[in-house]
C-alpha cells in the first residue's frame, strides 16, 4: 500500500491558489488489486504536524476483502478451532478463535498535533462471501492548553486550548450486490471485527518518557460479527449478521468526530438525525445541539435555511436511512470548561442505509 499525492491542475485553481487560506493536502491510498487476500497484514502510520496543517486521505475505491481460494479452504489451517488467535480484537471473542492463515488485518495509527486536522475518508470496505477481516484504528489527538498572560506574568484570561481535530469514517458494504451471480450476497463474510480508539493527550505527554500515561482512551468503538456459527454455505443464505442488521440495509458506517473542526459536521449530523426521526415520530423542537433553547431571531432564520437543505437531502435519498449521534463526554483537552464548550467536542455518528450511495449523499 502507498500514499499517492493528488493535485489540481486546472488553471483557475493556480490563479486563486494564493488567495486560499485553508487548503488541505489531498492523498489517496493505493494498493495492488484494490483489496486484501487471506494472510495480508497492513500497517499505516499517519502524523499530521504543523499548526494549521490539514490532511485529507481518500481511497481509490472500495477495499475488497477476498475469500480464500478453493484449494486454500480445504487446508487444515482453515479450521478456526485448530489455530489460536492472540490479536487484541480476536481475543475478545473467547468462545471461538480465528485462523490467522485466513484473516486479513489492517492497523492504522494516527497522531494529530494541536491546531491540525485529519480527514480520513475512505470508501467502503466490501467483505466477500467467506472472508475474514480485522481492523484496528488508533487516533491520538493532542492539545496544548494556554492562557493569556500579561507583562507581569499574571493570567488575565483563559483561552480555548489549541487541539487537534479529526473526522474519520469507518464504512462497510454488505457485498457484491451488483456483480453478476452475486446479487444475493449480503453480509455473508465469516468474520468481521473493527475497533476504533481515541486518545486525547497533552502535546508534551507524547514524549517517550510519558508514553505510560497514555493508557486509557477516551473512546472505544468496537464491533465484532461472527458468521461462522451459521450454516450459510452459500452467499444467498441469511447469516446472523444479515439478520441483526435488518432487511435491505446494505451499508453501515461510523464517523468519529473530534475537535473544533468537526463541530459543524456534528451539528449537521444532529439536525439530520432529528429530521429523520421526525419523519417517523414526534420530536422536540427549539433545542440546540447542547440542549439549550434557541428562541432568538437569528437562530430561527438559520433553522429555516437548514430545514430547507435537509429537505433537499431527504428527497435525494434512494432508500431508508437510520442515523444517530452520540456525544462523548470526558475531561481531556478542556472538555470540562463550559465557558468555551457549548457543544461536545467528541461525537460518534452511526449510520445504517439501504445503499452506499445514500451514505455518500449524507
Amino acid at each position: 500500500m502507498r500514499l499517492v499525492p493528488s493535485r489540481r491542475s486546472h488553471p483557475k485553481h493556480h490563479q486563486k491558489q494564493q488567495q486560499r487560506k485553508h487548503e488541505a493536502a489531498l492523498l489517496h491510498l493505493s494498493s495492488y488489486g484494490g483489496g486484501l487476500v487471506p494472510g495480508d497484514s497492513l500497517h499505516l502510520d499517519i502524523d499530521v504536524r504543523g499548526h494549521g496543517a490539514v490532511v485529507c486521505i481518500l481511497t481509490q475505491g472500495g477495499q475488497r476483502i477476498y475469500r480464500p481460494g478453493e484449494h486454500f479452504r480445504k487446508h487444515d489451517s482453515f479450521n478456526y478451532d485448530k489455530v489460536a488467535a492472540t490479536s487484541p480484537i480476536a481475543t475478545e471473542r473467547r468462545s471461538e478463535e480465528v485462523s490467522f492463515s485466513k484473516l486479513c488485518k489492517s492497523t492504522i495509527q494516527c497522531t494529530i498535533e494541536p491546531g491540525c486536522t485529519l480527514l480520513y475518508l475512505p470508501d467502503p470496505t466490501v467483505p466477500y462471501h467467506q472472508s475474514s477481516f480485522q481492523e484496528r484504528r488508533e487516533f491520538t489527538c493532542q492539545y496544548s492548553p494556554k492562557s493569556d498572560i500579561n507583562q507581569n506574568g499574571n493570567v488575565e484570561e483563559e483561552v480555548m486550548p489549541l487541539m487537534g481535530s479529526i473526522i474519520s469514517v469507518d464504512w462497510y458494504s454488505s457485498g457484491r450486490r451488483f456483480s453478476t451471480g452475486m446479487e444475493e450476497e449480503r453480509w455473508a463474510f465469516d468474520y468481521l471485527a473493527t475497533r476504533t480508539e481515541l486518545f486525547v493527550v497533552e502535546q508534551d505527554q507524547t514524549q517517550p518518557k510519558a508514553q505510560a500515561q497514555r493508557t486509557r482512551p477516551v473512546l472505544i468503538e468496537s464491533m465484532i460479527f461472527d458468521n461462522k456459527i451459521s450454516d450459510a454455505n452459500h452467499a444467498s443464505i441469511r447469516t446472523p449478521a444479515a439478520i441483526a442488521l435488518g432487511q435491505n440495509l446494505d451499508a453501515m458506517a461510523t464517523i468519529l468526530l473530534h475537535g473544533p473542526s468537526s463541530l459543524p459536521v456534528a451539528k449537521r449530523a444532529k439536525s439530520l438525525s432529528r429530521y429523520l426521526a421526525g419523519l417517523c415520530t414526534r420530536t422536540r423542537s427549539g433545542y440546540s445541539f447542547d440542549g439549550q433553547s434557541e428562541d432568538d431571531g437569528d437562530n430561527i432564520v438559520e433553522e429555516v435555511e437548514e430545514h430547507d437543505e435537509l429537505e433537499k437531502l431527504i428527497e435525494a435519498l434512494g432508500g431508508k436511512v437510520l442515523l444517530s449521534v452520540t456525544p462523548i463526554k470526558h475531561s481531556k483537552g478542556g472538555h470540562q470548561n463550559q465557558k468555551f464548550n457549548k457543544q461536545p467536542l467528541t461525537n460518534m455518528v452511526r449510520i445504517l442505509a439501504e445503499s452506499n450511495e445514500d451514505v455518500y449523499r449524507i
Side-chain angles (χ1 to χ4, degrees), residues 144-149 155-162 334 337 339-340:
S144 178
K146 60 181 182 178
S147 302
D148 284 343
I149 303 177
V155 177
E156 290 184 343
E157 181 182 1
E158 188 180 4
V159 298
M160 180 67 181
L162 190 65
N337 195 331
K339 179 178 179 181
F340 305 113

Side-chain angles (χ1 to χ4, degrees), residues 174-191:
S174 63
R176 298 165 288 180
R177 286 194 59 203
F178 300 100
S179 299
T180 303
M182 302 302 298
E183 294 84 354
E184 300 298 326
E185 183 181 75
R186 294 188 67 253
W187 310 113
F189 53 80
D190 275 6
Y191 180 76

Side-chain angles (χ1 to χ4, degrees), residues 50-53 112-117 141-147 158-165 200-203 258-261 332-334 340-341 345:
H51 180 66
I112 303 94
E113 289 189 350
C116 300
T117 301
C141 283
Q142 303 175 3
Y143 67 94
S144 178
K146 60 181 182 178
S147 302
E158 188 180 4
V159 298
M160 180 67 181
L162 190 65
M163 63 184 65
S165 298
V200 180
V201 299
E202 287 191 33
Q203 189 172 24
H258 174 77
S261 299
K332 300 295 185 66
F340 305 113
N341 302 326
L345 291 175

Side-chain angles (χ1 to χ4, degrees), residues 299-343:
N299 285 328
I300 293 177
V301 173
E302 292 180 1
E303 285 185 357
V304 171
E305 293 177 351
E306 185 178 55
H307 185 271
D308 294 339
E309 293 180 0
L310 292 177
E311 280 190 338
K312 294 179 181 179
L313 174 60
I314 297 301
E315 292 177 357
L317 295 179
K320 183 179 181 180
V321 175
L322 304 177
L323 186 146
S324 67
V325 183
T326 304
I328 309 299
K329 296 182 180 181
H330 54 86
S331 59
K332 300 295 185 66
H335 283 235
Q336 288 183 334
N337 195 331
Q338 298 298 325
K339 179 178 179 181
F340 305 113
N341 302 326
K342 295 182 179 180
Q343 300 181 11

Side-chain angles (χ1 to χ4, degrees), residues 82-309:
K82 293 185 178 181
V83 180
T86 58
S87 64
I89 297 180
T91 51
E92 294 181 1
R93 189 187 59 169
R94 301 174 184 269
S95 60
E96 300 290 342
E97 302 295 344
V98 180
S99 171
F100 273 108
S101 59
K102 179 184 178 181
L103 190 65
C104 304
K105 296 191 296 181
S106 174
T107 303
I108 302 171
Q109 293 180 318
C110 307
T111 301
I112 303 94
E113 289 189 350
C116 300
T117 301
L118 172 63
L119 309 175
Y120 187 76
L121 310 175
D123 291 290
T125 296
V126 186
Y128 285 7
H129 177 227
Q130 293 184 339
S131 65
S132 295
F133 180 59
Q134 169 188 295
E135 183 169 53
R136 186 183 185 93
R137 301 184 179 196
E138 182 180 302
F139 300 101
T140 302
C141 283
Q142 303 175 3
Y143 67 94
S144 178
K146 60 181 182 178
S147 302
D148 284 343
I149 303 177
N150 57 23
Q151 296 180 352
N152 298 326
N154 298 322
V155 177
E156 290 184 343
E157 181 182 1
E158 188 180 4
V159 298
M160 180 67 181
L162 190 65
M163 63 184 65
S165 298
I166 183 170
I167 300 176
S168 172
V169 177
D170 190 14
W171 183 1
Y172 295 90
S173 177
S174 63
R176 298 165 288 180
R177 286 194 59 203
F178 300 100
S179 299
T180 303
M182 302 302 298
E183 294 84 354
E184 300 298 326
E185 183 181 75
R186 294 188 67 253
W187 310 113
F189 53 80
D190 275 6
Y191 180 76
L192 174 63
T194 173
R195 182 183 179 96
T196 299
E197 296 182 356
L198 172 64
F199 296 87
V200 180
V201 299
E202 287 191 33
Q203 189 172 24
D204 57 353
Q205 289 184 352
T206 59
Q207 300 302 321
K209 295 181 179 180
Q211 282 290 347
Q213 302 177 15
R214 190 181 63 86
T215 58
R216 179 177 296 180
V218 299
L219 178 145
I220 297 177
E221 179 80 0
S222 180
M223 294 185 294
I224 298 178
F225 295 93
D226 184 3
N227 289 332
K228 188 186 77 70
I229 61 177
S230 70
D231 297 326
N233 295 322
H234 191 271
S236 62
I237 301 177
R238 296 188 68 188
T239 63
I243 297 173
L245 292 171
Q247 188 175 5
N248 298 328
L249 293 176
D250 293 310
M252 67 173 179
T254 59
I255 306 176
L256 172 61
L257 305 174
H258 174 77
S261 299
S262 70
L263 291 181
V265 181
K267 183 178 180 181
R268 180 175 177 82
K270 185 70 174 182
S271 299
L272 179 57
S273 175
R274 184 183 294 113
Y275 190 97
L276 290 170
L279 299 177
C280 303
T281 185
R282 182 181 300 177
T283 59
R284 294 182 179 182
S285 60
Y287 288 86
S288 65
F289 187 83
D290 60 340
Q292 302 297 323
S293 178
E294 294 184 341
D295 294 331
D296 57 275
D298 293 339
N299 285 328
I300 293 177
V301 173
E302 292 180 1
E303 285 185 357
V304 171
E305 293 177 351
E306 185 178 55
H307 185 271
D308 294 339
E309 293 180 0

